[in-house]
Amino acid sequence: MAYRTSVLRLDRDLALRERILACALQRVSEGGFAALTMQALAEDAGIATGSLYRHFRSKGELAAEVFATASQGEVDALAQTLRGPGSPAARLAAGLQQFAARAWHSRRLAFALIAEPVDPEVDEQRLLYREAYAELFVELLAEGVALGVFRVQQLNLIAACLVGAIAESLVGPLSPPARAAREAGRQSLDLAEVSQSLITFCLRAVGAEEPQS
Amino acid sequence: MAYRTSVLRLDRDLALRERILACALQRVSEGGFAALTMQALAEDAGIATGSLYRHFRSKGELAAEVFATASQGEVDALAQTLRGPGSPAARLAAGLQQFAARAWHSRRLAFALIAEPVDPEVDEQRLLYREAYAELFVELLAEGVALGVFRVQQLNLIAACLVGAIAESLVGPLSPPARAAREAGRQSLDLAEVSQSLITFCLRAVGAEEPQS
C-alpha cells in the first residue's frame, strides 16, 4: 500500500507541476516575465505560495523553465521548416517568414523570450537556445554550400549572425512601445514588411541569388 | 564655513564614486559581472561594504552603471569610424573591423557587455545601447542609400539586423569556453577570420558591391 500511495503522490505532484507551468506560461504570454510573480502564480494555480516553492526553488528557476518550454516549441517549429522540402534558399525564406509570423501573433511572449530584461537564469537559457537555433542554420548552410547556392565559409559564425539578425530585427517591432504605436494608429511596420526585409537581408548575406519579386 | 565643508564633502563623494566605478570596471574586465560582488569591490576600493551602498543602492544599479560607462566608450569609438572619411561601404567595413578588434583585445569585458547572464538592470541597458548602435547604422545606411551604394529600405529594421548579427557573431568566439580552447591550442577562429566573415556578411546583406579581395 505504501508503494501505491507514493506512486499516486508522484503522479499528483507531476500533474500539479505541469499545471503550474501552464499557468506561468499563460502569465508570460499576457504580461511578459514582469507579470510572473510567485504570489500571482500561486493564486492562478489555486495553491499556497509555499507549495509553489516546493516545486520551483526560485522565481528565476521557474522563469527559466517557462522560457525553455516556450523556446523549445519555436526551435521545433523552425527545424521542421528548415528541414522540409524545397531548395535551401526557399527553406531559409520560409523559416524566417514562419518565425516572424509566430512571433508576431504572440508578440508579448516573443518579446519576453527574445529581449525582456529578466533573471540571469533566463539569460543562461537564452544563450543555450540561441545555440540551438544556430545549429539548425549550420545544417542548412552546409547543405546550401554543398549545392553551391550559398557562398559562405565559417558556418558557425554565419549561423550566429543569422540568429542575431533575426532576433534583433524583431525586438523593435515586437516591443511594447511599438505595440502601443500600432494600437494608436501611428505608423509602424507590419508583419509582411518586416518579414520581407529580413528574408532579403539574410538571403543576400549568405550569398544566395536574390529572389525575383 | 558650512558651505565650504559641504562643497569639499561633495567633491570627496564624487571622487570616491569615480574610484568605486573604476575598480568595478577593472573587476568586470578581468572576471566578468560574476566577479563583481559588493564585498570584493569594497575591499578593492578600500572602504566598508556599507559605504559602498551609500553610493550605489544595489549591485544591479552598480552593474548597470559599469555597463553604461564601458558601452558608451564603444559607441563613441564606432561613431568616430562610421562618421569618418571614406565611402559608406569602406566605413562600414572599418567600423566592423574596429569593433571586432576592440572586443577581441578585451574579450572578458566584451563578453560581459554583450552576453553574460546578469541582473535585469544590465539587460535594460543592453536594450538601450543596442538602440544607440542601431542609430549609428541608420545614419550610415541613409547615406549609402542616398548615394545608391546600399540597397535597403527599412533602415531601422536593417540597422537592427546589423547590430544583432555583429553582437551574436562575437558571442561564440569571445565566450570563456572559446578562450579555453584557444589557450589549449585547440582550433578556433582568429580575429582576422571573424572580422572578414562579418564584413562580408554585412556588406552583402545591405546590398553593397562585394569588395575585391
Side-chain angles (χ1 to χ4, degrees), chain A residues 17 38 52-62 121:
Chain A
R17 196 170 193 286
M38 294 301 253
L52 199 48
Y53 281 100
R54 279 208 306 115
H55 293 271
F56 299 94
R57 272 174 304 176
S58 67
K59 206 210 97 186
E61 184 183 306
L62 172 70
E121 288 95 326

Side-chain angles (χ1 to χ4, degrees), chain B residues 112-126:
Chain B
L113 296 179
I114 296 174
E116 185 181 345
V118 66
D119 313 77
E121 287 95 327
V122 171
D123 279 344
E124 300 263 8
Q125 293 290 322
R126 280 188 180 132

Side-chain angles (χ1 to χ4, degrees), chain B residues 170-200:
Chain B
L170 292 173
V171 171
L174 294 177
S175 71
R179 181 181 193 165
R182 264 191 306 274
E183 282 166 3
R186 292 196 300 279
Q187 208 205 344
S188 83
L189 296 176
D190 67 23
L191 170 59
E193 292 168 321
V194 168
S195 190
Q196 192 49 56
S197 282
L198 185 59
I199 290 171
T200 303

Side-chain angles (χ1 to χ4, degrees), chain B residues 111-171:
Chain B
F111 183 75
L113 296 179
I114 296 174
E116 185 181 345
V118 66
D119 313 77
E121 287 95 327
V122 171
D123 279 344
E124 300 263 8
Q125 293 290 322
R126 280 188 180 132
L127 284 174
L128 290 176
Y129 274 93
R130 281 169 173 237
E131 272 184 42
Y133 286 117
E135 278 167 28
L136 293 179
F137 287 118
V138 166
E139 235 182 83
L140 185 72
L141 288 171
E143 202 182 323
V145 166
L147 291 170
V149 294
F150 293 160
R151 295 172 297 128
V152 286
Q153 290 180 332
Q154 287 138 12
L155 305 193
N156 289 315
L157 192 83
I158 300 303
C161 286
L162 292 176
V163 171
I166 297 163
E168 196 69 20
S169 71
L170 292 173
V171 171

Side-chain angles (χ1 to χ4, degrees), chain B residues 26-90:
Chain B
Q26 184 65 29
R27 288 218 141 247
V28 177
S29 301
E30 284 167 11
F33 285 108
L36 188 64
T37 67
M38 294 301 252
Q39 198 180 341
L41 180 59
E43 279 174 30
D44 289 356
I47 57 174
T49 312
S51 311
L52 199 49
Y53 281 100
R54 279 207 306 116
H55 293 271
F56 299 93
R57 271 174 306 174
S58 66
K59 205 210 98 185
E61 184 184 307
L62 173 69
E65 192 155 338
V66 172
F67 178 94
T69 306
S71 297
Q72 191 58 53
E74 295 309 312
V75 168
D76 293 344
L78 184 62
Q80 202 164 13
T81 303
L82 294 186
R83 291 171 179 161
S87 72

